[in-house]
Amino acid sequence: MNSFPSLLESIQDLNKIQIDGLLSLSSKFKQRESESNLFTYKRPIIATSFLENSTRTKHSFAIAIQKLGAMYIDFNAETSSLKKGESLEETFLTLFNQGVNICIFRSSVSFQLSQFREMPPIKIINGGDGINEHPTQALLDLFTLLELSPNLEGKTLAIFGDNVHSRVGHSLIKLLPLYGMKIILCGPHHFLPQKQDLPFGVEWSDNRDETIAKSDFLYLLRIQKERHDEKLHDAIDNYHETFGISLDLLKKMNKRIPVLHPGPANIGVELDQALIKSNLYKGYEQVQNSIPVRMAIIQSMLVNNDKNIGNVNGEKF
Ligand code: CP
């Protein structure tokens, strides 16, 4: 792969050739063909900086970094000078000048990384920002879907749940149509975007059973309780009856189709215990695939030789 962005904020930062390259490199990493001996002379330093909780993303990046043979720094944002009011740009520039090559950053604030598009202070991977995007999750989801079905052209994936507040959903609807997939967003009206805001190839529905009947894959989203007010909590109480997916329901409808979930799952809300324990549930395959896909993303970004990184765009005196 000759080019790779220095800021991976959004799926739209990647073109199809780059995504195909990532998928092929991920397969190699999964088959353990090229692990661990990449950086014999000069070990790159890679930091995670998570200002919001995470189990899957942070630890899979930590594992991917160490499998590649790079040095791993867990930058603790809570005890850093960010808490003394230092700006994000100064923080990134400090990490860069300490020799950090890439920072994987998570925040509850949306679109915070866009300010670094022209002059990145450091190479940055978005580990999920507010309700904007979670591009690396979408890429590992695509990898998992391709393992389940090597040709996704014309296949339909239904995304159930809180589509308005889901950064994973926002990345998936940009990525999957590049592989010919049709997408149906399904849920109660307050979880669905306006029809006129939907990209080409994406529909919405408020009818669970009709949507399941049309789908080849289900993708369930967590209800983002932390992003809702109290009133909506009442609506969430009835969510399982109207939009939740149970193993019994899929059996009754004779739909033996894969069910994906980025995690963490609210068992009893978007899905039931029997489904998560069944062979239809692919959430653990997604977790397994997160390591090779994130290794591929890190390696691809490391080999990009962007001369703008760390340049301070100020007046010369
Ligand atoms: N899928 C995902 O982002 O999970 P974590 O919040 O546990 O990282």
Side-chain angles (χ1 to χ4, degrees):
M1 201 182 307
N2 294 325
S3 67
F4 201 81
S6 294
L7 168 61
L8 175 54
E9 180 192 16
S10 162
I11 283 298
Q12 286 162 320
D13 293 322
L14 298 170
N15 61 36
K16 181 112 182 335
I17 295 169
Q18 290 165 332
I19 296 168
D20 286 336
L22 280 177
L23 295 169
S24 148
L25 191 54
S26 306
S27 296
K28 284 189 191 145
F29 281 132
K30 195 160 185 184
Q31 293 155 21
R32 297 169 189 270
E33 277 178 15
S34 50
E35 257 181 45
S36 284
N37 49 8
L38 293 163
F39 311 118
T40 318
Y41 298 109
K42 191 172 182 298
R43 284 173 81 199
I45 306 173
I46 303 176
T48 52
S49 174
F50 276 51
L51 282 76
E52 206 191 65
N53 295 347
S54 167
T55 297
R56 291 154 197 78
T57 311
K58 182 172 169 178
H59 297 112
S60 63
F61 267 116
I63 293 164
I65 290 162
Q66 291 172 91
K67 281 198 167 200
L68 283 168
M71 216 182 284
Y72 172 55
I73 306 292
D74 180 14
F75 171 81
N76 186 342
E78 285 303 313
T79 56
S80 75
S81 292
L82 277 166
K83 289 284 169 188
K84 298 180 200 162
E86 189 166 37
S87 71
L88 194 55
E89 183 179 22
E90 281 303 316
T91 303
F92 282 145
L93 281 168
T94 302
L95 289 176
F96 175 76
N97 283 288
Q98 288 170 337
V100 174
N101 300 89
I102 300 179
C103 181
I104 297 118
F105 181 75
R106 170 173 287 192
S107 162
S108 55
V109 181
S110 311
F111 303 106
Q112 230 179 347
L113 298 176
S114 308
Q115 61 183 305
F116 305 125
R117 192 154 291 284
E118 299 305 319
M119 198 64 76
I122 193 169
K123 291 181 180 179
I124 305 168
I125 297 173
N126 182 0
D129 65 325
I131 63 166
N132 177 31
E133 282 210 44
H134 195 348
T136 65
Q137 175 71 45
L139 289 163
L140 73 90
D141 294 337
L142 170 63
F143 186 83
T144 306
L145 289 166
L146 285 165
E147 280 192 332
L148 293 165
S149 175
N151 184 5
L152 297 173
E153 189 72 40
K155 297 256 167 45
T156 298
L157 175 129
I159 307 180
F160 276 85
D162 193 358
N163 282 284
V164 170
H165 294 94
S166 172
R167 54 194 175 206
V168 179
H170 293 153
S171 289
L172 284 171
I173 64 173
K174 291 173 185 160
L175 178 63
L176 300 183
L178 296 178
Y179 288 77
M181 290 197 87
K182 292 185 218 153
I183 296 179
I184 307 174
L185 309 182
C186 187
H189 285 177
H190 44 264
F191 287 170
L192 295 172
Q194 300 290 320
K195 273 194 172 156
Q196 67 268 20
D197 295 336
L198 293 174
F200 182 75
V202 181
E203 300 168 23
W204 73 240
S205 165
D206 56 8
N207 187 312
R208 175 186 63 187
D209 294 4
E210 263 179 34
T211 301
I212 294 172
K214 287 190 214 168
S215 298
D216 302 292
F217 303 94
L218 304 183
Y219 193 102
L220 312 186
L221 298 173
R222 183 173 68 88
I223 309 303
Q224 319 271 311
K225 286 184 187 161
E226 69 278 21
R227 304 197 206 284
H228 289 288
D229 60 21
E230 285 302 312
K231 255 193 294 180
L232 213 49
H233 284 185
D234 300 340
I236 292 167
D237 287 343
N238 302 322
Y239 183 87
H240 190 68
E241 285 68 49
T242 35
F243 290 99
I245 312 290
S246 67
L247 187 60
D248 263 354
L249 175 70
L250 295 181
K251 278 185 184 166
K252 272 190 207 124
M253 294 182 71
N254 199 22
K255 287 293 279 189
R256 201 185 296 263
I257 53 174
V259 179
L260 287 82
H261 196 308
N266 293 311
I267 297 169
V269 183
E270 62 263 19
L271 79 177
D272 74 345
Q273 182 76 16
L275 178 55
I276 208 168
K277 297 287 178 211
S278 77
N279 62 337
L280 297 184
Y281 182 70
K282 302 299 172 195
Y284 300 115
E285 279 86 336
Q286 289 166 273
V287 171
Q288 286 164 19
N289 287 334
S290 68
I291 311 283
V293 172
R294 286 180 168 133
M295 287 170 79
I297 293 166
I298 290 166
Q299 184 177 306
S300 303
M301 191 177 272
L302 278 173
V303 299
N304 123 14
N305 203 13
D306 188 345
K307 299 280 186 283
N308 279 331
I309 298 294
N311 275 342
V312 179
N313 195 15
E315 196 178 330
K316 300 261 184 298
F317 181 67

